[in-house]
Amino acid sequence: MLLLSSLSNAFSISSAGRPSARSSPMMAEMANGKMLFDNVAREWRCKWQDDGGGKASSATLVAIADVVDEFLPQLKALDGAVVNRAVCGGCLDFKLCTTVPLATFGPWEEAGHPPEADFLAKLEAIPGVSMVETQTMTNQVL
């Protein structure tokens, strides 16, 4: 059984996964095999400041959108990538989540999730941005 790089303590890859219409030949499993997945996501998130305009016109949110526009082509160029953006006007959350197949994730993780460092540096430089964080998680359509 192969292990999924630094996530090896949480997930293992098995070619003997339970077959289904949605499973691929190589799926990772967790929860004693009760949760199979073949996609891993890397989330970049922060809090943004409402300057009174809310999500309709916040200068902070406009600047975040500009950074996303700058790096989105690089993220979409990852093999099999799906990029999702989530914005909450109530709790002032911004999240950008890039989901890739297991085969893409390993090399991307080993390289440091580029362009993550550059994206996060630009995000942190925006006035009104705080709590910049990252998280890796499975992301599987059921």
Side-chain angles (χ1 to χ4, degrees), residues 56-91:
S57 63
S58 164
T60 302
L61 205 52
V62 169
I64 292 170
D66 289 341
V67 173
V68 171
D69 288 346
E70 178 181 345
F71 289 97
L72 190 57
Q74 292 174 59
L75 295 171
K76 287 185 168 186
L78 291 166
D79 188 34
V82 175
V83 182
N84 293 292
R85 178 194 63 229
V87 179
C88 179
C91 60

Side-chain angles (χ1 to χ4, degrees), residues 29 38 44 52 65 72 77-78 83 86 89 93 95-96 108 122-124 136 139:
E29 56 185 57
D38 56 3
W44 304 335
L72 190 57
L78 291 166
V83 182
D93 282 339
K95 299 177 181 188
L96 192 69
W108 187 42
K122 288 201 174 192
L123 201 59
E124 290 172 334
T136 298
N139 191 358

Side-chain angles (χ1 to χ4, degrees), residues 88-107:
C88 179
C91 60
L92 307 179
D93 282 339
F94 169 83
K95 299 177 181 188
L96 192 69
C97 189
T98 304
T99 301
V100 295
L102 283 171
T104 301
F105 185 78

